[in-house]
Amino acid sequence: MADVDTGPECEAPCTAPALPAWIVPRPRLTDRLARAVRSELTVIVGPVGAGKTALALEWAHTRRPPGPVAWVTCDGRAEQPAVFWPRVTSALRDAGVRVPDSVATGEGPLLVAALAAELNRRTEPVVLLLDDFQPAPGSPIADGVSSLLRHAPGVLRLVVLARRDPPLHLRRGRLASGVTELRTADLAFDDRETAALLTQHRIDVPRQTVSTLRRRTDGWAAGIRLAAMSMEKLEQQGEAERFVDKFAGDDEAVASYLVEEVLDLQPPAMRRLLLTTSVLDRVNAELAAALCGEDVGSHFADLVRENSFLNPLGHGWYRCHQMFADVLRMCLRHETPGLVVALHRSAAAWLGAHGQLADAVGHLLAADDWDRAGELIVRRLAVGQVLGLSRTRLPADLTRRAPAEPESDRPEPVLLAAAVARARDDDATCLRHLERAARQLAELPQDSLEQADRVTRCRLALAVIRMSRLRARDPHLAYTAALEVEAVGPLLPQGALAQHPEIPALALAVRGSWEIRAGHLKAAETSLTGALKAAGAAGNGALRRDSLVELALLEAVRGRFRAADELAAHATQPPLPSWSAAERSRAALHLVRAWVELARGEPGRARHELARVDGVLRTAPDAFLAELRMLAGGLAGAVERGTPAPQVLGELLRGARLPESVVRTVSPACAFVLGAVRHGAANGSAVPERLGGRPARTERLSPRERDVLSRLAQMMTTEEIAAELYLSVNTVKTHLKSVYRKLDVTRRSAAVRRARELQLL
């Protein structure tokens, strides 16, 4: 077999049409096609205008085929056996392949058998290319071509260009590795090819505009060509870039082309199926049946098989080509405008029942049905997603489409509007909607289990929005809302809140923050540790970061400065988010750093951090942090003046307006700061929890132990480490035991601290 060549001319005889001057060179695909024809069957499947014929022509004229090329242009679905086989034999003869008259004049299976026998007499392969080959499954033409391919193995190289999968037993060929396929995604233009096509039309636009056009057309060759033809007229006016920004399937040229070439050729049931499902971003057989009815939905398999504008997404789901979907939606609006809203609502009902919440909400927004969107979100306990508390997000349209004042006597749409206002940081609107929803909620009946469940879910949504709003304004009222969440939780079905870890994450973070300020330090540690874990499960980096900062603050109050420093360091490490200027937790972070600098004997650096605390507290007041800041400032002044510790300590603590339990706890920390400076803070004394010198190195850790240790430093649980490293939980525990032994520690926090001292992290 001849090697693939990239020369300008093919050497074997070829009956392909002439190579048009407008063809965009696509060497990446002609190379693939040149390799593909070494196998028995090559299938190029794509929608009308995808560039199938252009690709085959470029290959035939610029690559070296394995033998003579017989090119047959078919009549698509209208092809008749009495016309098809004479075309095949004539093309073979024109390509230099011997076909006796006795064979050429045959009919049906006898012709196919005689042609296969004649081909088998050859010593070199022959390429038979069938362009626009669309016979029906089981038709005489389909069966004849399959038989010819089966009975002329090793000689016949069949290349088929079609808009749908040809009925040639592709699955059998795939199993035997005898089929090469190029499909719609393969045929899509890339940015370089798009730019080359625009250059043909003398259009010069920035690279970003080229990429935008390629994305808008999904790389569809005909769409790019049609856009280029329109852009030619606008280029001199400087409007080409603006045209691309608005270019879509509803463009007149694109719409006319696709309606004429695709939509109008469909049988009535298939046409209705295409139009009805066009409201969907993705579709499967069940969803199609739900929208169209079982009678039309049963044609879904035929639609998938015969329409290459549908791209598979996996698991039975398909996405319609963007520009064709635009055309279908335009036709649906023109032909049955009253049906569009009903279709969106039907789609939302099916998607919501099958756990596709974001898609369901998107369809309700498209139907302008805010009431049902609110009911669905509240019923599914998804208000946290509206507030941005979880990694799962609802459509961005939610904030754009929110009504200024929902016209509803039901609390759910009003609660949704409150959540959207909170997400926009529009406090006045959020408060107004919350008050209105509370009044509506108080009037709801609870005469049945269903009604009681509805009230419970509304109460939960109300409390979550209140927590989010009050968290940075009033810790005590936010704590009251957190208690409401904890009271409502047991009234929900078992495990309901476990599916929404963002809600307990926020409640525990709010509770822990208030408990520190109330002096319940042990309870705060429990709450914040739980918040840290729940925030990780929810994918909420901001809550995880804030919980780490509050835990660092707790450790600083306890005088555990090394642990406080480590927790503060964790809070500032990617991928955790950074702070905005007025976030209260940012003040807590700088306050922790100030206390750590005091413990290091660096009052100047501590004052620098305290100045940053002041800057945040001016815009986000916090009485508790302000008192700790004053206490730290007094310590810094005492250190700088060299005032004896006993003389200053009592005075500072008496002036601090802090809970008694906090005063008792922070008193040893203050004494340590003053005493540490007097005895030489930077000399690395052996005071527990004190920031000191770096110990000697220990036994070397294995690469896997380092992996485990690095994730331990990210505050990940054993289960989370196991999942991320694809290990069993027991294996992770074994590695942890080894890490503890080598670092001579017994606890996680100590292991991380020791590893930092040894510069292992």
Side-chain angles (χ1 to χ4, degrees):
M1 184 180 298
D3 293 332
V4 175
D5 190 8
T6 58
E9 298 280 343
C10 63
E11 297 182 1
C14 178
T15 65
L19 185 65
W22 50 260
I23 281 184
V24 175
R26 309 185 74 187
R28 65 183 179 93
L29 292 183
T30 52
D31 286 347
R32 285 185 61 181
L33 187 51
R35 292 190 296 270
V37 293
R38 296 173 179 175
S39 58
E40 294 180 358
L41 175 60
T42 302
V43 175
I44 305 178
V45 176
V48 58
K52 304 180 293 295
T53 302
L55 171 62
L57 281 173
E58 184 188 356
W59 161 78
H61 285 279
T62 64
R63 296 294 187 267
R64 184 179 297 161
V69 178
W71 185 295
V72 178
T73 300
C74 305
D75 287 331
R77 299 183 183 183
E79 193 71 56
Q80 298 296 320
V83 178
F84 175 77
W85 289 111
R87 282 178 175 164
V88 171
T89 55
S90 177
L92 288 169
R93 282 176 167 176
D94 291 345
V97 178
R98 180 178 180 274
V99 182
D101 290 342
S102 59
V103 175
T105 56
E107 294 183 1
L110 292 178
L111 183 153
V112 173
L115 184 56
E118 193 64 37
L119 291 176
N120 284 324
R121 293 190 178 96
R122 295 179 55 84
T123 58
E124 70 168 344
V126 58
V127 179
L128 175 60
L129 189 146
L130 304 179
D131 189 9
D132 198 17
F133 184 67
Q134 301 183 59
S139 66
I141 293 178
D143 291 345
V145 173
S146 297
S147 178
L148 181 63
L149 184 62
R150 187 167 61 253
H151 290 97
V155 179
L156 181 62
R157 303 286 190 268
L158 182 62
V159 180
V160 174
L161 316 183
R163 299 185 187 183
R164 59 176 184 172
D165 279 357
L168 298 177
H169 308 292
L170 294 185
R171 291 181 180 83
R172 183 190 304 165
R174 290 170 188 149
L175 290 174
S177 301
V179 178
T180 302
E181 300 173 69
L182 278 75
R183 297 190 168 273
T184 304
D186 303 306
L187 296 171
F189 270 47
D190 60 20
D191 283 1
R192 185 193 63 79
E193 293 160 347
T194 302
L197 190 153
L198 293 176
T199 299
Q200 287 184 352
H201 292 262
R202 296 180 296 280
I203 296 169
D204 183 18
V205 291
R207 184 177 301 176
Q208 183 178 355
T209 303
V210 173
S211 296
T212 300
L213 178 60
R214 192 260 309 155
R215 286 195 302 271
R216 285 187 172 275
T217 59
D218 275 348
W220 180 45
I224 298 171
R225 181 76 67 181
L226 290 168
M229 293 166 65
S230 298
M231 292 167 70
E232 275 185 313
K233 306 171 186 176
L234 301 170
E235 175 74 1
Q236 294 181 348
Q237 305 170 21
E239 297 291 325
E241 293 179 41
R242 187 177 301 177
F243 171 84
V244 170
D245 290 336
K246 299 179 180 179
F247 185 64
D250 55 3
D251 179 83
E252 183 180 356
V254 174
S256 299
Y257 180 80
L258 288 175
V259 168
E260 181 179 335
E261 291 289 336
V262 182
L263 189 58
D264 284 350
L265 301 180
Q266 303 297 324
M270 196 71 73
R271 191 178 193 279
R272 179 184 164 197
L273 181 58
L274 280 167
L275 292 176
T276 302
T277 57
S278 67
V279 300
L280 304 168
D281 291 326
R282 58 194 187 104
V283 61
N284 66 5
E286 293 180 12
L287 182 51
L291 262 63
C292 308
E294 291 293 341
D295 55 335
V296 176
S298 61
H299 294 284
F300 186 75
D302 295 333
L303 177 67
V304 169
R305 183 174 60 251
E306 298 186 12
N307 197 312
S308 50
F309 272 113
L310 284 180
N311 300 319
L313 300 176
H315 306 290
W317 288 90
Y318 295 85
R319 179 184 71 86
C320 188
H321 189 284
Q322 183 60 51
M323 303 210 79
F324 190 40
D326 290 341
V327 170
L328 293 173
R329 289 165 185 163
M330 181 187 68
C331 292
L332 179 66
R333 290 194 302 270
H334 289 171
E335 296 178 15
T336 54
L339 187 60
V340 175
V341 169
L343 289 174
H344 279 300
R345 284 176 175 162
S346 296
W350 189 93
L351 290 163
H354 288 78
Q356 308 290 328
L357 179 64
D359 290 339
V361 171
H363 282 287
L364 289 174
L365 294 177
D368 201 23
D369 196 336
W370 186 261
D371 282 12
R372 292 193 189 186
E375 290 168 10
L376 180 61
I377 288 171
V378 171
R379 186 170 71 249
R380 294 299 174 85
L381 311 181
V383 68
Q385 296 179 29
V386 182
L387 297 169
L389 298 178
S390 72
R391 64 169 63 90
T392 305
R393 298 297 173 91
L394 294 174
D397 270 3
L398 199 62
T399 55
R400 184 173 60 83
R401 291 177 177 267
E405 197 70 40
E407 297 178 2
S408 177
D409 57 357
R410 303 168 67 84
E412 290 92 342
V414 181
L415 286 168
L416 176 56
V420 168
R422 170 62 192 142
R424 290 173 172 170
D425 205 21
D426 183 352
D427 186 62
T429 301
C430 178
L431 179 59
R432 186 175 72 252
H433 289 329
L434 284 175
E435 291 173 345
R436 178 183 170 193
R439 292 192 298 270
Q440 292 172 321
L441 182 55
E443 297 173 359
L444 287 181
Q446 301 188 54
D447 301 333
S448 66
L449 291 176
E450 183 178 353
Q451 290 172 331
D453 181 71
R454 178 190 174 197
V455 169
T456 298
R457 292 170 190 267
C458 288
R459 285 176 59 193
L460 180 71
L462 185 67
V464 170
I465 301 168
R466 278 177 171 166
M467 273 197 306
S468 176
R469 174 181 173 269
L470 294 169
R471 181 173 167 234
R473 292 175 172 80
D474 191 324
H476 179 69
L477 288 179
Y479 172 69
T480 303
L483 293 181
E484 172 75 353
V485 170
E486 294 177 4
V488 166
L491 304 178
L492 294 167
Q494 187 174 5
L497 274 184
Q499 299 175 28
H500 299 276
E502 67 275 7
I503 294 177
L506 179 61
L508 287 167
V510 166
R511 171 188 270 276
S513 181
W514 179 83
E515 286 167 338
I516 289 179
R517 287 152 179 78
H520 309 320
L521 303 187
K522 186 63 179 176
E525 181 179 15
T526 301
S527 297
L528 291 169
T529 303
L532 194 62
K533 183 175 181 180
N540 189 322
L543 272 181
R544 189 175 175 86
R545 175 203 68 192
D546 292 354
S547 298
L548 284 167
V549 170
E550 293 287 315
L551 283 168
L553 180 65
L554 177 61
E555 297 292 21
V557 167
R558 288 170 164 172
R560 300 173 183 172
F561 299 113
R562 182 175 289 143
D565 188 41
E566 290 171 358
L567 288 165
H570 290 322
T572 58
Q573 290 175 354
L576 296 183
S578 57
W579 282 265
S580 63
E583 284 188 77
R584 191 179 62 187
S585 59
R586 184 165 169 261
L589 173 72
H590 292 303
L591 184 57
V592 169
R593 287 175 172 171
W595 279 90
V596 169
E597 293 300 343
L598 287 173
R600 286 193 173 114
E602 298 285 353
R605 292 182 178 180
R607 284 198 179 279
H608 176 72
E609 295 292 343
L610 291 175
R612 301 176 78 174
V613 173
D614 293 339
V616 179
L617 291 181
R618 276 194 290 271
T619 54
D622 186 311
F624 181 77
L625 295 182
E627 288 299 316
L628 286 177
R629 180 258 175 269
M630 293 298 295
L631 184 57
L635 289 173
V639 169
E640 290 170 335
R641 294 189 302 270
T643 307
Q647 178 179 338
V648 74
L649 186 56
E651 181 180 340
L652 287 173
L653 292 176
R654 281 193 298 273
R657 290 175 293 180
L658 294 167
E660 184 178 345
S661 58
V662 175
V663 172
R664 287 197 307 268
T665 303
V666 81
S667 178
C670 296
F672 170 76
V673 167
L674 295 171
V677 174
R678 189 175 62 215
H679 292 98
N683 295 328
S685 61
V687 179
E689 296 297 338
R690 138 117 227 241
L691 301 168
R694 184 174 296 117
R697 288 204 173 269
T698 185
E699 185 178 346
R700 184 182 299 274
L701 299 181
S702 70
R704 182 56 81 188
E705 289 167 349
R706 283 175 175 267
D707 288 340
V708 172
L709 182 61
S710 68
R711 284 154 180 81
L712 203 67
Q714 297 172 33
M715 307 296 286
M716 294 175 68
T717 65
T718 304
E719 292 75 13
E720 291 170 337
I721 296 172
E724 181 156 324
L725 296 180
Y726 299 100
L727 300 173
S728 70
V729 172
N730 286 336
T731 300
V732 172
K733 289 180 178 178
T734 300
H735 286 310
L736 285 175
K737 289 179 181 178
S738 179
V739 169
Y740 293 166
R741 177 183 60 78
K742 291 179 179 180
L743 296 181
D744 192 25
V745 297
T746 58
R747 294 181 295 116
R748 288 175 170 236
S749 59
V752 173
R753 180 167 61 251
R754 174 77 165 170
R756 292 197 183 282
E757 291 169 349
L758 297 174
Q759 296 185 338
L760 299 177
L761 293 172

